Amino acid sequence: MKRATVIINPIAGPGRARTINACEDLARTTLAAHGFEANVRVTVGPDDSRRFAEEALRANEDLVIAWGGDGTINGAASALAHSKLPLAIIRGGSGNGLARDLGVPHDPAEAFRVAATGATRAIDAGEVGGSLFFNVAGIGLDARIAARLASPDHRRGLAGYVLATLAELPRYQPNGYSIRIGHESLETKAMFIAIANSRQYGNGAQIAPIARLDDGILELVVVQPQSGLRIALRIPAFFRGTLSERPGLVMRRGSELQIRGERPMSFHVDGEPRRGGEILSVRTHPRALLIKVQPA
C-alpha cells in the first residue's frame, strides 16, 4: 500500500476537538479504500504541522494531507515546497482561503477521495521576510488582526474576524511605507498591505480578484487611510470579487518587491504572525508546491 501522513489540527474549525476520533477513523477508512495506509498525526502546537510534514518527507511517503485552516496548511506546505511530495487539503479552518481557491470539496470524505485519486497541480509560493506563504501575507492592521486571531482563546470564524477588526481598528495608527516593485517606487501611508498569491482571505472575501496560483506573480494591495464610510462602501465588492483600484486603494503586480517601513514591521503569512525588520523583501517561487486537486 501507498503511505500517507494525515495532519489534523483539532482546534481548527468548530467542534473538531470533540470529534477527533471520528476524524481519524474517516481518514483511515477512506484512504484505505483507495490503497493508502494512513499515519494520522494530531497537532498540539503551532510547529507540529511543519514537523510532521518534514518527517513524512524524510520517510519517502507518497502523500501528505493537512486537515485544518490556512495556518495548518502553511506549516505542511512550507516543509514540502520544492519537493516532489504532494500535499492535499481537507477544509478544517474558519476561512479556508486557499482551499476555496483550489476548489477543495467541503465534505471531508469527498476531499479525501480527491486527495487519493485527484490530479496533481503545481502552484506558486510567496516569500516575505524569509517565511513562505501560499495564500495571502499582510503587513500593518492585517498583521495585528492575524495576531489577535492566533491567540488560543479568541473566537474563530467570520464573526471572530469581525470582532478582531473592530477591536484593532479604532486604535490603529497607519504607518508610512516605501515600496519598490519592478521599476516603480511608491511612497504611501497605509492601513495595511496585502500580498496575495491566491484571490481570497477566506469566507469568499476576495482581496485580489485577479490573482492566480500558478502565474509566478504576486498581487500587491495597499489600503490607504480612509473613512469608515468609504471602507463600508467597498465591502460588497470585497465579497463579490470585483474589488479594483480606486482612490485609497492601490493595486500592483510583480514577482519581486521590497517594502521599507518607518519601524520594524509585524506581518503574517497565511494568518500566522511573524516579526520582521524595517525592510521586508518579497518574492515568488513559481510552481514550488505540488498539490492534489479535482481533475479538470
Side-chain angles (χ1 to χ4, degrees), residues 3-282:
R3 295 181 299 161
T5 286
V6 180
I7 302 167
I8 303 177
N9 182 347
I11 65 170
R16 185 155 300 104
R18 299 191 300 272
T19 61
I20 191 66
N21 291 335
C23 293
E24 293 182 31
D25 289 343
L26 176 65
R28 291 192 176 96
T29 56
T30 309
L31 291 172
H34 296 287
F36 280 88
E37 179 184 0
N39 176 25
V40 179
R41 312 289 301 272
V42 179
T43 65
V44 295
D47 299 324
D48 285 349
S49 181
R50 179 168 188 146
R51 178 168 61 86
F52 294 159
E54 288 171 344
E55 291 172 0
L57 186 60
R58 289 195 296 269
N60 294 315
E61 296 200 354
D62 300 286
L63 179 65
V64 171
I65 303 171
W67 191 345
D70 287 324
T72 304
I73 295 160
N74 178 278
S78 296
L80 301 181
H82 304 293
S83 80
K84 295 182 179 180
L85 180 55
L87 175 70
I89 297 171
I90 313 298
R91 291 195 194 191
S94 53
N96 301 301
L98 182 60
R100 287 171 182 264
D101 214 17
L102 288 165
V104 173
H106 184 77
D107 177 65
E110 179 63 13
F112 272 114
R113 184 194 65 78
V114 171
T117 66
T120 300
R121 177 184 177 186
I123 68 169
D124 303 336
E127 180 184 342
V128 54
S131 294
L132 295 180
F133 66 97
F134 304 87
N135 192 44
V136 181
I139 299 166
L141 177 62
D142 204 20
R144 291 269 290 270
I145 293 169
R148 182 177 284 266
L149 289 172
S151 62
D153 58 345
H154 196 275
R155 184 172 179 176
R156 297 175 179 270
L158 181 59
Y161 183 85
V162 171
L163 290 172
T165 301
L166 292 175
E168 292 291 344
L169 187 58
R171 58 186 180 180
Y172 184 74
Q173 295 297 315
N175 293 314
Y177 300 93
S178 299
I179 303 171
R180 190 175 73 241
I181 180 166
H183 298 294
E184 183 180 9
S185 294
L186 301 172
E187 300 286 337
T188 183
K189 287 272 189 179
M191 295 175 65
F192 70 88
I193 299 170
I195 307 151
N197 186 45
S198 80
R199 291 176 295 173
Q200 63 171 294
Y201 287 117
N203 294 302
Q206 298 188 37
I207 188 65
I210 68 170
R212 297 294 177 265
L213 285 163
D214 55 5
D215 62 358
I217 299 295
L218 297 169
E219 307 296 327
L220 176 74
V221 182
V222 181
V223 179
Q224 296 169 325
Q226 55 198 275
S227 69
L229 176 61
R230 178 175 284 182
I231 292 173
L233 290 173
R234 286 183 173 154
I235 290 175
F238 189 36
F239 283 92
R240 284 198 306 260
T242 58
L243 205 63
S244 60
E245 185 164 280
R246 293 286 190 276
L249 186 67
V250 178
M251 305 179 87
R252 296 290 188 271
R253 313 182 73 230
S255 58
E256 293 188 19
L257 58 143
Q258 185 184 85
I259 302 171
R260 182 188 296 269
E262 298 173 331
R263 55 185 61 85
M265 290 174 278
S266 297
F267 64 99
H268 77 87
V269 287
D270 298 335
E272 297 298 298
R274 298 285 189 272
R275 296 282 297 180
E278 294 179 2
I279 299 175
L280 290 175
S281 295
V282 183

Side-chain angles (χ1 to χ4, degrees), residues 119 293-296:
V293 296
Q294 298 195 73

